[in-house]
Amino acid sequence: PLSIFPKIMASQERTFRMVERFSKDHIVDVAAIIRNENELKESFENLKPISNKFYPIHAVNPSNDNFKRKLYGVKFLIQNKLSKIPEDYFYSTQKPYIKFLTELIAENKYDIVHAEYWFMAEVFRHINPYTFKAIDTVDVLFDKKRQSFENKFGSVLPGSKQKELQKYKELELEHLELADLLISISEVDNNT
């Protein structure tokens, strides 16, 4: 449930193009997080011509609510310190999101549910086991995180960063196993 608009990352463009292509052969509904009115307006304008329905998911920490942003920031810091939960996983698995998506999927009886990134696949645990589940891996994110840490700290990572990386890898692999199909952008990613 990441936002698709405004497009500032290649993955948002990729998601948009996938919706555009899939909609030629299938009925496609899209659910995405909306942080403000501009994102909502842009999403409706751009998704209406290529999707059946667009379901905005209002962010738990909208861009115009400093209190909620700080509240969820503090919650994340506590979770991260206690159990090394990564930021992307923490925000994607908030109860309001999982509840909304679970109910939406059940109500519409989708044949296929596609998650962008592994950390959005938590919802797979809560839906009909016969629904076909796909994840677009985009990248092998634990490897990308390792590279980022090595660029910052050198090849011998501090113990805390090793633990954080190990937790990230465990969560990523666990969630990828929830899918019936993994979509990779390269053979190297697929092999990894």
Side-chain angles (χ1 to χ4, degrees):
L2 291 179
S3 76
I4 300 175
F5 299 99
K7 289 186 207 167
I8 56 173
M9 298 182 296
S11 61
Q12 291 167 303
E13 178 68 23
R14 181 174 158 82
T15 299
F16 180 78
R17 296 295 168 209
M18 286 178 79
V19 170
E20 188 175 52
R21 176 59 191 98
F22 288 156
S23 68
K24 291 180 181 183
D25 300 316
H26 306 280
I27 297 171
V28 177
D29 290 350
V30 177
I33 290 187
I34 300 301
R35 288 181 175 74
N36 58 50
E37 289 302 313
N38 289 339
E39 285 184 9
L40 181 65
K41 182 178 182 251
E42 192 173 353
S43 296
F44 271 115
E45 285 174 1
N46 287 287
L47 292 169
K48 186 174 182 176
I50 64 166
S51 66
N52 179 52
K53 287 185 182 171
F54 171 61
Y55 294 96
I57 304 170
H58 295 282
V60 294
N61 58 343
S63 57
N64 64 347
D65 190 329
N66 283 334
F67 175 74
K68 284 186 177 179
R69 293 185 73 73
K70 289 184 189 313
L71 175 67
Y72 277 91
V74 168
K75 285 182 176 184
F76 163 69
L77 290 174
I78 293 168
Q79 279 269 327
N80 182 262
K81 288 291 180 204
L82 294 175
S83 55
K84 299 296 182 203
I85 295 295
E87 185 175 16
D88 42 20
Y89 179 74
F90 170 80
Y91 283 102
S92 293
T93 60
Q94 289 300 303
K95 287 179 185 177
Y97 299 157
I98 299 299
K99 182 180 186 301
F100 178 86
L101 291 169
T102 301
E103 290 173 358
L104 178 68
I105 292 165
E107 180 181 313
N108 288 298
K109 298 180 176 88
Y110 293 118
D111 297 321
I112 301 169
V113 174
H114 173 266
E116 189 75 14
Y117 295 108
W118 70 266
F119 45 82
M120 296 176 193
E122 182 66 27
V123 73
F124 291 173
R125 295 183 198 279
H126 305 276
I127 64 176
N128 182 331
Y130 300 106
T131 301
F132 191 85
K133 300 164 212 52
I135 299 174
D136 188 354
T137 61
V138 183
D139 278 313
V140 179
L141 294 180
F142 71 79
D143 193 49
K144 194 172 180 180
K145 185 171 277 297
R146 178 192 55 78
Q147 292 171 28
S148 173
F149 282 172
E150 287 179 358
N151 285 340
K152 188 172 184 178
F153 301 104
S155 60
V156 179
L157 298 177
S160 65
K161 293 301 172 191
Q162 288 176 17
K163 287 179 185 175
E164 189 175 332
L165 183 60
Q166 185 58 36
K167 180 69 171 185
Y168 196 98
K169 182 177 180 177
E170 287 170 9
L171 284 169
E172 183 170 2
L173 293 174
E174 175 186 331
H175 285 78
L176 291 176
E177 288 178 3
L178 297 173
D180 300 305
L181 173 70
L182 300 177
I183 302 168
S184 306
I185 60 172
S186 73
E187 191 172 329
V188 172
D189 283 357
N190 192 50
N191 292 337
T192 302

